[in-house]
Amino acid sequence: MKILLIGATGTLGTAVHKELSARGHEILAVGRTGGDLRYDVTDPAQTAAMYECAGRVDAVVSTAGDVPFKPVTEMTPEDYLAAFQGKALSQIDLVRQGVTRIAERGSFTLITGVLAREPIPTGTAASMANGAVEAFVCAAAIEIAPQRINAVSPTVFTESLSYYGNYFPGMGSVDLADVAQVYVRSVEGAQTGQVYAL
Amino acid sequence: MKILLIGATGTLGTAVHKELSARGHEILAVGRTGGDLRYDVTDPAQTAAMYECAGRVDAVVSTAGDVPFKPVTEMTPEDYLAAFQGKALSQIDLVRQGVTRIAERGSFTLITGVLAREPIPTGTAASMANGAVEAFVCAAAIEIAPQRINAVSPTVFTESLSYYGNYFPGMGSVDLADVAQVYVRSVEGAQTGQVYAL
């Protein structure tokens, strides 16, 4: 398949790129500052330009999303808006614009995260954005068939424990290679409307 | 208790007002165009002014939220933003600003809806906004204790079936009086971080 991979140069994007490439897929790596195509998908105009440049693809895979972390009393409306635009609206727009552009039986695989269901202090904006994307995925699935859409919702990466481990006490971790396998499952499988929690 | 009721003149707000009043609570009814206090809580400045005017309250109860309904291919980024601001950010801001203003053991009860878990065509923005609020509620609960926060997530109201019934085939309905009881449960009970689905 020809796959558009958003956030390709990030920690997760690199792992997903490696796995999908190893399975013989042609990857168009998209990043804000690196990759084959340089676009910022928080800007709908750049998302349009990205699709224009990429041509027909079979799958859109997103591993990108930025949200602020602060106590709820220190958050501003702008922080929640930034979380919404940086992780939810950006990914929703990949779908909204992609539906008319990708293959008839193409798929979208978006990224959310464990904070949608297991909150941590300072994580209200992250939880909110993840919850928004997961509910959107379930709703979009019934409209875009036979195109498909799923979300990958991982806990902290084992490889990131040294940085973030203290924020996720006792919550376990998942290897990046295992998360990448779930992207394979979403892209090559037939399910839709799923939130793959791992 | 002294309760700030947002969306007090709406279909649900009227039912909640009636039930909470009958239980002896003092209700400050807030609406954009009706009620004791006239404020639009999609504007953070008006939310601040509302709290200023209301003084110390024991509970904040929201029954208000507007979202657009359209096929995903007809949605614009502005539609999703409107849904976010009209149902998610507006309610999140009630909490963000309310935490430092309401009673030490006060509570917030927000409104979401069945589309967070049971999507319908044209409902991607509604699902998204509901999912955002529900995940926020779970996350905020662990930060604001001993204050509490819950969401009420009803299916279509029995009283609204003649208008909206065709959008919810076979999904059942719930009487407004039963939804109002769940608000009582949230306000007078001790639970927090709950999404009451009914």
Side-chain angles (χ1 to χ4, degrees):
Chain A
M1 297 184 196
K2 184 176 169 186
I3 300 174
L4 202 50
L5 171 58
I6 321 297
T9 59
T11 301
L12 175 59
T14 301
V16 171
H17 193 312
K18 182 180 169 190
E19 183 60 30
L20 290 173
S21 296
R23 295 184 64 83
H25 299 297
E26 175 193 353
I27 311 297
L28 284 173
V30 182
R32 276 181 292 201
T33 56
D36 306 320
L37 308 175
R38 308 283 168 91
Y39 293 104
D40 179 350
V41 298
T42 63
D43 174 1
Q46 291 198 41
T47 297
M50 174 195 73
Y51 274 122
E52 194 65 33
C53 177
R56 193 83 157 181
V57 300
D58 300 292
V60 177
V61 164
S62 170
T63 61
D66 285 326
V67 295
F69 283 81
K70 290 180 188 175
V72 69
T73 50
E74 295 177 17
M75 289 280 189
T76 63
E78 291 72 26
D79 286 325
Y80 288 110
L81 194 59
F84 177 68
Q85 294 179 317
K87 190 158 188 182
L89 190 55
S90 53
Q91 296 196 95
I92 288 168
D93 212 48
L94 288 174
V95 180
R96 189 188 65 82
Q97 295 198 42
V99 163
T100 54
R101 297 166 182 259
I102 75 167
E104 194 186 352
R105 303 186 75 87
S107 70
F108 301 90
T109 306
L110 307 186
I111 182 71
T112 62
V114 69
L115 300 187
R117 57 192 179 277
E118 298 277 354
I120 62 171
T122 76
T124 55
S127 293
M128 176 210 79
N130 289 339
V133 174
E134 292 185 3
F136 171 82
V137 162
C138 297
I142 63 173
E143 288 195 33
I144 71 172
Q147 290 175 339
R148 300 180 301 104
I149 180 168
N150 298 300
V152 179
S153 188
T155 187
V156 63
F157 306 138
T158 307
E159 291 83 347
S160 303
L161 279 176
S162 57
Y163 300 108
Y164 302 124
N166 288 342
Y167 294 100
F168 298 88
M171 288 170 67
S173 67
V174 61
D175 296 353
L176 281 166
D178 291 331
V179 183
Q181 284 303 322
V182 177
Y183 276 85
V184 171
R185 180 176 169 188
S186 176
V187 169
E188 297 185 19
Q191 294 186 325
T192 191
Q194 300 297 304
V195 175
Y196 296 113
L198 73 166
Chain B
M1 296 183 196
K2 184 175 169 188
I3 300 175
L4 201 51
L5 171 58
I6 321 297
T9 60
T11 302
L12 176 59
T14 301
V16 171
H17 193 312
K18 182 180 169 190
E19 182 61 31
L20 289 174
S21 295
R23 295 184 64 84
H25 298 296
E26 175 192 353
I27 311 297
L28 284 173
V30 182
R32 276 181 292 198
T33 55
D36 307 319
L37 308 176
R38 308 282 169 93
Y39 293 103
D40 180 349
V41 297
T42 64
D43 175 359
Q46 291 198 43
T47 297
M50 174 194 73
Y51 275 123
E52 194 65 33
C53 177
R56 192 83 156 180
V57 299
D58 299 294
V60 178
V61 164
S62 171
T63 61
D66 285 326
V67 295
F69 283 81
K70 291 180 188 176
V72 69
T73 50
E74 294 176 17
M75 289 279 190
T76 63
E78 290 71 28
D79 287 325
Y80 288 110
L81 194 58
F84 177 68
Q85 293 179 316
K87 190 158 188 182
L89 190 54
S90 52
Q91 296 197 93
I92 287 169
D93 212 47
L94 288 175
V95 180
R96 189 188 66 81
Q97 294 199 43
V99 163
T100 53
R101 295 165 182 260
I102 75 167
E104 194 186 355
R105 303 185 76 85
S107 70
F108 301 90
T109 306
L110 307 186
I111 182 71
T112 63
V114 68
L115 299 187
R117 56 192 180 277
E118 298 276 354
I120 63 172
T122 75
T124 55
S127 293
M128 177 208 79
N130 289 339
V133 174
E134 293 186 1
F136 171 82
V137 162
C138 297
I142 63 173
E143 288 194 33
I144 71 171
Q147 289 174 341
R148 300 180 301 103
I149 179 169
N150 297 300
V152 179
S153 188
T155 187
V156 63
F157 307 137
T158 307
E159 290 84 347
S160 302
L161 278 177
S162 58
Y163 301 107
Y164 302 124
N166 288 342
Y167 295 100
F168 299 88
M171 289 170 68
S173 67
V174 61
D175 296 352
L176 281 165
D178 291 332
V179 183
Q181 284 303 322
V182 177
Y183 276 86
V184 171
R185 180 175 170 189
S186 177
V187 168
E188 298 185 17
Q191 293 187 325
T192 190
Q194 300 298 303
V195 176
Y196 295 113
L198 74 165

